[in-house]
Amino acid sequence: VIGHPRYQGSKRIAIFLSMPDEIRTEEIIKDIFKQGKECFIPRYKPLSNQMDMLKLSSAEDISSLTLTSWNILQPRDDDSAREEALAGGGLDLIFMPGLGFDKKGNRLGRGKGYYDTYLERCMKHPSGKPYTIALAFREQICESVPVAENDVQVDEVLYEDC
């Protein structure tokens, strides 16, 4: 990931904080700050399909986040001091999680449509849609995954041996 040309050329990057069954992202987050890039993480809005990407000030800033009922660390709902990516310069790159992927770029998420809805918002931003890279285990690559009309394909799926 760290040697990927899209990563190297990006300044504003959104990345998920790993759940136990996902690719570990801690080292990537540390590298984002080491490289002087800006890092944004998801804040999911409960009982909706809305998500914002909020800026982290450092890798250590993760320790200030709260755990949701889904066991995901994210900024508190009343944390209004953080920049939302689309309120500023947009995003260059989004690293995306998922349950399954196919080689056509289709992604099976957790069913709420958070990333699809967020990418629709990105397309309306002056900076346009960021490049999207899904991070996966080899076992998550399928022949095909079910897709709906509003599902947005990822630009690239990275997994071991790809």
Side-chain angles (χ1 to χ4, degrees), residues 89-109:
L91 291 165
D92 302 316
L93 175 64
I94 298 180
F95 286 110
M96 297 172 65
L99 299 176
F101 309 90
D102 66 27
K103 292 182 180 176
K104 296 179 201 132
N106 293 311
R107 171 185 162 272
L108 180 66

Side-chain angles (χ1 to χ4, degrees), residues 20-78:
D21 61 347
E22 295 172 334
I23 294 288
R24 310 305 307 157
T25 58
E26 293 88 354
E27 294 304 315
I28 301 169
I29 293 168
K30 288 178 188 171
D31 191 74
I32 289 170
F33 287 105
K34 183 178 157 196
Q35 301 282 335
K37 301 173 186 290
E38 294 178 89
C39 184
F40 296 82
I41 59 165
R43 178 173 67 189
Y44 306 94
K45 295 182 182 172
L47 307 174
S48 78
N49 64 351
Q50 294 295 305
M51 169 178 82
D52 290 322
M53 291 291 184
L54 301 180
K55 190 172 185 178
L56 278 181
S57 58
S58 66
E60 295 73 32
D61 189 13
I62 294 170
S63 65
S64 73
L65 304 176
T66 57
L67 204 57
T68 69
S69 59
W70 301 324
N71 256 357
I72 298 172
L73 285 171
Q74 69 177 27
R76 292 185 328 273
D77 289 341
D78 63 354

Side-chain angles (χ1 to χ4, degrees), residues 73-145:
L73 285 171
Q74 69 177 27
R76 292 185 328 273
D77 289 341
D78 63 354
D79 185 344
S80 58
R82 295 177 188 273
E83 176 192 342
E84 203 294 317
L86 297 181
L91 291 165
D92 302 316
L93 175 64
I94 298 180
F95 286 110
M96 297 172 65
L99 299 176
F101 309 90
D102 66 27
K103 292 182 180 176
K104 296 179 201 132
N106 293 311
R107 171 185 162 272
L108 180 66
R110 296 186 183 265
K112 296 279 189 186
Y114 287 109
Y115 279 88
D116 299 312
T117 303
Y118 192 78
L119 287 169
E120 291 291 332
R121 287 174 51 205
C122 289
M123 290 178 209
K124 296 175 182 146
H125 189 273
S127 67
K129 179 185 170 291
Y131 194 79
T132 54
I133 298 177
L135 300 177
F137 296 107
R138 184 176 44 240
E139 295 80 5
Q140 292 176 286
I141 308 304
C142 308
E143 192 62 40
S144 68
V145 296

